[in-house]
Each structure stands twice: as structure tokens, then as C-alpha cells.
Amino acid sequence: MTVSAVGQRRSGGGYLERPAPSGLADVIDSILDKGLVIDAYVRVSLVGIELLTIDARIVIASVDTYLRFAEATNRLDLYEHGGKDLPEMIGQMQESGGRGRTKGILSGAKEAILGSDDDEDDDEELERAERPRRRPPSKAAARRRRSDSE
Amino acid sequence: MSESDELYYVYGVTYDDVKLPEGVDGLDDRPIDLVRDGVLAAVVSEVAGGHRIGRKAQLLAHCRVLDALASQAAVIPLRFGTVVAGRAAVADDLLGAQAERFKAILEQLAGRSQFTLRARYDEERVLTEIVAEDPRVAELREQTRGRPEDSTMNARIQLGELVSSALTRKREVDTPAVLEPIASYAAAYSMREGRGGVDQLVDVAFLVEDDKRSEFDRAAESVARALTGRVRLQLMGPTAPYDFVPED
């Protein structure tokens, strides 16, 4: 796609947003469980990503989701009335604190998968590319677990 | 395989006559290269022994290489994190062993690209609808708003459940409104699992023929226009066909 084509669309006042795929974290993250999986005996290691992705999904499907939805519904007050008196504002700040905690669990799981760009710390969750002789034995277990949860 | 085999990160499988995109580096800024076997080629870059794979920058590099390739040839994306020991293993054990299967998949993908559509509700708008439509939601909101979380936990969970199921019903109604006008211009589509946020409507990947792109694009634009204010549509692509390779 050429730059001018993008420019034309923008000047046309399009309703459709056209972000770069790499600009949206969840779109890129969703690539984690996509793509052809080659035979286990050929590949050296397929990092522990499949497992971690599933762990993140389990967290999403928990009570935390309901609490998040409840909190979002309560935040509507701000939209409806604009100004708030102080006690209610404090209540809402506590709620968004709760929301932050919930989000922390989710993005924490994601970060365990990917780390962040500048994260050079050792991360025990991540396997190293290993020689076939030291191939981790857990692949069969990972596979079983994966099919169990789907 | 011997101990001295280099490790290769494998991005995807394509045809052997592909021209590697210029100025596109692979994981950890390693140059990308082809390993050929018959009419097939694997796109690879070397991995330093013991080097860790799984960082965000590496995932971005994985996508960058595949998307650049996909813009000029059919390519089968491999799962992020695929590493093979030795060029011989890439040629023989990966490409050679499954040549017919790879060729069949590549034929399916030729002349087609993936576009990913993300539809999100305007959170305020959709929640306001839910509060207005269900008196129980309004009541539970009164009970929990501004009260300590611990003492209203059950009511909060109940409120969240009601909102969650109301959102599910809305998605069931609104998903076809987003999908149907666009899907007829795609060769295939595949629903994606979203993160399940309040604003989540639908995430879907489309496989679009090159000569249908402008029609597809116009259809997406007109849906975005029709739903504007209540739903935001984001369209990303063209990219490699990540969502259209066979499941293992």
C-alpha cells in the first residue's frame, strides 16, 4: 500500500480507522497462538508461550471480569452528571484502583509471555532455545493441557 | 543433527522463487535468508545459541518479516517461536517431509491477504443502554456505587454478571450487522477470541482476494459509517495470513 493511498483515505474523512497492525498490542499478541505448528521432532523449542497464553485466558474468564463490568457500569455516573461531590469521587477512585488491580493480573500474564521491549532481566518463565539433546520434556504435557482447556 | 548445527528461527514457508524484502531484518536484527528444497523455501534467520525467544520486539520482528513477504508472495506463517537446528533439518525434515501439504496450503493462499477487523463499542453508550434497558442493573448500581468493595462484593458480582450477559446479547445482535455486509467480499473469515473487555464487540480476520480488496474496503467503510457513534471499526492489513493456516 502506498503512502498516497493512505493520505487519500484520510482526507476523504473515512469512518474506518486504519491503525498499523503493530500499533495495537492485542492485535500483535493475538499472533501468539496463530501460525502453523511444525512437528515436534523437527523443532528445537517452541517457547513456553502456548501455555502462558492459556493461563491468561483462564484469568479473563474469572470473577474479575464481572467485577470489571460492575465497575465500568458504576463509572457511568461520571459521564451522566459531569461533576461529582467529593465522597462519591473517592468511591470512584477506589473502584478504578480495583480495576487497575484486575488489569494488573491480565497484563502481568501477558508480560510473562513477552516481557517488555527493554526488559533484559532474566525471566524464568521463558525457555531458551536449546539444543535438541536438551529438549525440554514438557511438550507433551503442554499439548495435553492445551487440548483440555479448549 | 550434530552439536555444531546452527539454530535457525523459521518465520514461514513460501515458494523458492520469492525475492526477500530489502531492509527488513529478522529477530534480534539478524538478516533473513532462504533455505530451499524443491519449489519451496523456508524464511529463516540465525539464532545465537542459548538466546532467549519470547520478547515483544521479537514478536514484532516475526510479524514484520512475514507481512513484508506476504505483500509479494504466498507465505505460510509458522507459529511464533519455531526454531530448527541446522539448514539440513530445515530443508529435509521441515520442507521435504511435508512438501505436498505445504504446496497445497500455498495454493490456497496465493493472491490473498489477511485483513483484521476490530469492532469496539463506545463504552459509555453501550453501558447507558444496558442501564436503561434493565431495571435490575440500575438498582444494583445504586446499591454498590461509592460503597466499599468488600461489603458489596456479592451485589457487584451480580451486577457484573447482568452486564456481562446483556453485553453478550448485544454482541449476538450486532456481530452480524458488522460481519455480513463485509464477509461477502472475503474468500474466508475467522472469528478471533477477543480480550472480553466491556467495549468488545467482535474481532474477525478476513482472507481477501487481491482483486476484491477495493470492494472489501468500501464495504468496511460503509459499515463503519453506518455504526458511527456507537461502534468503532478498525481495519488492519494487509498482513500475512496468520489466521488461515490449518490447525495442527
Side-chain angles (χ1 to χ4, degrees), chain A residues 1 9 13-39 41-50 57 60 63 65-77 79-81 84 87-88 91-92 94-95 97-99 101 106-107 110-124 126-135 143 146 150, chain B residues 1-7 47-57 59-60 62-63 67 76-85 89 93-94 97-98 101-102 105 115-118 120 123-124 127-128 131 137 140-142 144-149 153 156-157 159-161 163-164 167 171 192-198 203 217 220-221 224-225 228 232-239 242-243 245-248:
Chain A
M1 193 186 301
R9 286 204 189 104
Y15 291 86
L16 191 60
E17 296 171 34
R18 300 168 193 272
S22 60
L24 295 172
D26 58 343
V27 172
I28 285 296
D29 289 354
S30 69
I31 302 299
L32 279 174
D33 58 3
K34 301 290 193 301
L36 198 77
V37 178
I38 65 170
D39 290 342
Y41 80 93
V42 181
R43 63 179 192 246
V44 170
S45 82
L46 190 66
V47 283
I49 278 166
E50 289 162 275
R57 285 191 187 146
I60 286 168
V63 157
T65 308
Y66 293 146
L67 291 179
R68 262 194 301 149
F69 286 3
E71 284 156 11
T73 312
N74 283 341
R75 279 200 307 278
L76 267 184
D77 290 346
Y79 306 135
E80 279 170 8
H81 306 305
K84 290 271 86 182
E88 273 192 274
Q92 254 132 13
Q94 283 164 348
E95 281 158 19
R99 179 169 180 255
R101 203 174 59 224
L106 298 180
S107 52
K110 254 334 174 188
E111 259 158 42
I113 299 165
L114 291 173
S116 52
D117 280 353
D118 49 5
D119 178 15
E120 294 296 334
D121 297 342
D122 281 341
D123 185 341
E124 297 305 318
L126 296 167
E127 296 176 16
R128 286 160 192 277
E130 291 185 43
R131 296 274 166 193
R133 282 167 195 201
R134 294 187 285 120
R135 190 178 290 167
R143 238 163 223 280
R146 188 168 164 230
E150 279 178 0
Chain B
M1 282 186 248
S2 71
E3 195 64 31
S4 62
D5 282 336
E6 288 290 330
L7 294 178
V47 178
H51 201 292
R52 211 203 273 174
I53 289 175
R55 287 178 25 242
K56 185 117 200 161
L59 181 59
L60 286 168
H62 173 89
C63 295
D67 293 347
I76 307 169
L78 296 191
R79 185 72 55 94
F80 175 67
T82 304
V83 175
V84 174
D93 301 340
L94 172 62
Q98 295 205 67
R101 181 176 179 227
F102 287 145
I105 301 171
F115 288 81
T116 306
L117 185 76
R118 191 158 94 139
R120 293 290 177 271
E123 188 172 309
E124 175 186 349
L127 287 174
T128 304
V131 173
V137 169
L140 284 163
R141 216 169 125 243
E142 289 304 316
T144 55
R145 194 182 40 169
R147 304 253 166 83
E149 218 171 277
M153 191 55 91
R156 278 171 197 276
I157 291 171
L159 171 60
E161 275 182 298
V163 171
S164 173
L167 281 168
R171 285 180 201 125
R192 279 189 163 192
E193 197 171 323
R195 277 192 179 176
V198 173
D203 286 5
D217 204 85
E221 184 68 52
R225 174 196 280 258
T228 191
R232 282 170 62 202
L233 289 192
Q234 298 178 310
L235 185 67
M236 288 139 288
T239 67
Y242 303 99
D243 292 59
V245 298
E247 297 282 321
D248 53 324

Side-chain angles (χ1 to χ4, degrees), chain B residues 107-126:
Chain B
E107 270 172 39
Q108 290 266 312
L109 296 174
R112 299 168 163 185
S113 301
Q114 177 168 328
F115 288 81
T116 306
L117 185 76
R118 191 158 94 139
R120 293 290 177 271
Y121 286 116
D122 180 277
E123 188 172 309
E124 175 186 349
R125 180 110 164 229
V126 77

